[in-house]
Amino acid sequence: MSQDRLTLSDDVEWEDVQAIVRRPFKDWHQSAHVILTVRNAKKAKAWLQALEPRIRTTWDIYSIESGTTLGPMAHAKLHFNIAFSFDGLRALGLHEDDLARFDDPFREGMAPCTAKGVSRRAGILGDLKCNHSSTWIWGGSDRDENGEPAPTDDRVMQPDIHILLMIFAHVRAEIEKYIAGISVATDGLEVPFQGHEAAREAGHATEYNSHEHFGFKDGISQPLLPGTKKDRKLSPRWRDFHEVQAGEFVLGYKNERDEYPETPTVPCCRDPDELLKPARDADGHVTDRRHDLGRNGTYLVARVLRQNVGTFDRTVQQVARLIATTSELDALDRAEDGRPNDTSTRLLTRAAGLLMGRALNGDPLAEDVGPADADGNKNDFGFHHMDPAGLHCPIGSHVRRANPRDSLEPDPDTALRLSKQHRILRRSRIYGPHEAPGSFQRFNGTGDRGLFFICLNADIAGQFEFIQDSWINNPAFGDLEGERDAILAPAIDTRISFPARPFTRWIERGNKQLVEVRAGGYFFLPGRNALKFIANQPEEHKKKTPEADAVDTNDATDLQPSDCGGTDV
């Protein structure tokens, strides 16, 4: 293995892993995240077969960025990654027995329909009130919170969300041209929102920007895989904080529990071309009876998050008045009258940082942090020793909730070890017009703008959903009482506290929603070989066999004869 290969990370088969996992197209600022619906499986699979050579792997993008490839790929105007919903895999003809072996949350979907209106998953994710899936433009349900029928005009329900096509380019016009041509190239796919006023919010026009719409530098604290260039530069102390095993994000490799994550498999007889590698059983032993459909793939979580910039700025003004001294209040009054000054700018910037948990430039609020990395980011810090009471970075702030590091019970070492079992890789892009925060008076800012949030994880329930339920939406997080994340959580518990001496201060949030969920779904991002397998599924839609109900879907060695048409292999 070459030294260049090692800069990606050891062992992982990056030539089979889609690029967004490790090389998230930062050099290609223009992008689109297009939802597709399968209308004709045969024609849709023919389109997939033609697209497959243009699906970029991590190794592809690394080769382009490092200048080691000079072929047509290096000069391509468009680059693609692709993911499928559970309903999408079914629509493309994946066998029902094989569908049953996918992760439970993926099979149920982000917004499962329920007669009661509010599903268990809605409570876990915080999809309540204005975040309820009955208001989403795609991926939602047709029942409101009370279980009553919800309007479905101009919305695409969860069962019709089949494919998430991610397109990256230098020039926006190239993306628009391609999207317009999908329906022309094949009538096997439908492109919802094409030409619709909701197209931008639906994901048709996203872009990479180092700062999100509230004004903060984004994407700083990402897990590092063992063997990567950044990982090897870390001191042993900080490597313990940031290094996370590949199996937390890529199926087929060991995770932080020193286990192989559960992965979907297929009987070897349904893979006659041997596109997939042999699967492992629960003990990690390779078996030739089933092939690993999940290997080098992962689960992708997508959520369209509308950012209410004006509401955020009003909240920042409220916090600034809370922390200001008597003499500083006059400076804030002058700023509100259109006369910003150094004192008001300092106070407002600090107030925004207290809500988020980092400064606008991404610097930590905790003291005595490590030096900046090569990108100018400071990420070497913990909370237990540096800021245990939250006097600098409030305990309930968004950053501290989303990644508590070493701050939770019972002790810092255990807390850090457990938090690393719940990390995610974030791959978000912004949509809508971008405006710097300035003096935080963007009160009249209208129009749809926000994040097309994407995260990658090998275990949706244990990673993304755990973070949402146990940290973001937990009113008792870190021994708080009746508080949820002010940035992301629904406005149910309305208090936001800011620890200080001699006493804690707080503001009343009311029903102000800083971020609204507008769409969402769970997807499977396959490895390239698994994509070939999916694109070449036989036409007939096979029914699930009664014998398959008895199969332990977590045991790759438990293969009933009926799984292979009566052939015991």
Side-chain angles (χ1 to χ4, degrees), residues 199-341:
R200 182 172 68 187
E201 190 169 31
H204 285 207
T206 56
E207 63 179 280
Y208 173 75
N209 193 306
S210 60
H211 289 68
E212 47 72 56
H213 288 297
F214 290 155
F216 293 90
K217 189 173 184 180
D218 197 16
I220 294 175
S221 183
Q222 298 278 18
L224 299 179
L225 303 188
T228 55
K229 186 176 181 180
K230 284 187 176 181
D231 176 66
R232 293 200 304 274
K233 288 184 176 181
L234 291 172
S235 66
R237 177 189 179 190
W238 297 116
R239 184 173 293 118
D240 287 342
F241 270 74
H242 305 308
E243 182 182 273
V244 181
Q245 295 302 310
E248 293 292 325
F249 316 109
V250 186
L251 297 171
Y253 304 90
K254 284 192 173 181
N255 58 24
E256 283 293 317
R257 297 172 178 82
D258 199 32
E259 300 171 347
Y260 291 95
E262 295 179 7
T263 179
T265 62
V266 301
C268 58
C269 62
R270 282 205 278 277
D271 182 26
D273 296 329
E274 297 186 344
L275 294 169
L276 309 175
K277 289 194 173 184
R280 297 179 184 272
D281 61 20
D283 297 320
H285 301 128
V286 174
T287 172
D288 60 1
R289 304 181 73 181
R290 297 192 70 85
H291 288 181
D292 194 344
L293 179 60
R295 185 178 180 87
N296 297 322
T298 188
Y299 291 105
L300 182 152
V301 177
R303 281 162 84 82
V304 176
L305 304 177
R306 177 189 288 173
Q307 294 181 260
N308 295 321
V309 173
T311 303
F312 174 77
D313 283 0
R314 288 187 182 91
T315 305
V316 169
Q317 296 272 7
Q318 190 178 358
V319 175
R321 290 191 170 278
L322 178 74
I323 64 175
T325 63
T326 302
S327 61
E328 291 171 331
L329 288 174
D330 178 62
L332 291 174
D333 289 336
R334 284 185 280 119
E336 288 187 10
D337 290 337
R339 293 175 292 160
N341 51 83

Side-chain angles (χ1 to χ4, degrees), residues 120-126 401 461 463-477 484:
R120 180 182 65 86
R121 180 146 291 113
I124 290 173
L125 301 181
R401 283 178 179 268
Q463 291 170 271
F464 172 70
E465 291 190 345
F466 180 93
I467 292 171
Q468 292 291 115
D469 186 39
S470 298
W471 296 343
I472 298 295
N473 295 309
N474 183 1
F477 174 85
R484 302 176 194 242

Side-chain angles (χ1 to χ4, degrees), residues 466-539:
F466 180 93
I467 292 171
Q468 292 291 115
D469 186 39
S470 298
W471 296 343
I472 298 295
N473 295 309
N474 183 1
F477 174 85
D479 294 329
L480 296 173
E481 296 182 4
E483 293 185 44
R484 302 176 194 242
D485 188 324
I487 302 294
L488 283 185
I492 297 174
D493 300 296
T494 61
R495 192 172 78 164
I496 307 174
S497 67
F498 303 91
R501 291 193 175 103
F503 52 80
T504 294
R505 297 168 291 187
W506 65 83
I507 63 171
E508 290 296 331
R509 175 183 178 185
N511 61 357
K512 295 178 292 188
Q513 194 71 40
L514 275 61
V515 173
E516 298 175 43
V517 183
R518 297 290 294 133
Y522 291 151
F523 298 87
F524 172 60
L525 184 91
R528 173 173 270 172
N529 287 330
L531 175 60
K532 294 177 182 178
F533 177 86
I534 293 168
N536 288 278
Q537 285 296 291
E539 284 308 302

